[in-house]
Amino acid sequence: MVKRKSASSSEEGWNYEAKVAEIEGIIARIESGELELEAVFEQFASAVEYLRQCESFLQQRQQQVDLLIETLSDE
């Protein structure tokens, strides 16, 4: 049986597609050239954090898929 991690309060309502859209928005704002330098750094830091969250999400899902495939192979 696949064990699922219980969602922590920080993950509740978290959505991969929404984070990707936020990252794309940040990139667009940075590329527009209309932000002050300090805002660019703040936006960039936010984008990096969102990318880390997305990577962690994808790694967790890959582990789940691998486990499911392993379970199917054992049968």
Side-chain angles (χ1 to χ4, degrees):
M1 175 171 238
V2 176
K3 290 184 181 180
R4 293 188 179 186
K5 291 184 180 180
S6 59
S8 66
S9 59
S10 65
E11 291 179 354
E12 290 177 12
W14 191 89
N15 182 280
Y16 178 83
E17 289 80 7
K19 287 296 175 188
V20 170
E22 286 184 52
I23 294 166
E24 290 172 344
I26 289 170
I27 292 169
R29 287 191 294 278
I30 290 172
E31 288 179 340
S32 75
E34 296 176 8
L35 296 175
E36 293 185 14
L37 187 57
E38 184 176 347
V40 169
F41 285 115
E42 290 172 359
Q43 293 285 297
F44 183 76
S46 294
V48 168
E49 178 57 31
Y50 296 155
L51 285 168
R52 285 185 181 137
Q53 292 173 7
C54 289
E55 182 179 17
S56 176
F57 172 83
L58 291 174
Q59 286 176 347
Q60 290 173 1
R61 295 313 178 263
Q62 183 63 50
Q63 289 174 351
Q64 289 176 342
V65 168
D66 291 344
L67 183 59
L68 288 170
I69 290 171
E70 183 179 315
T71 303
L72 287 173
S73 298
D74 291 342
E75 291 179 3

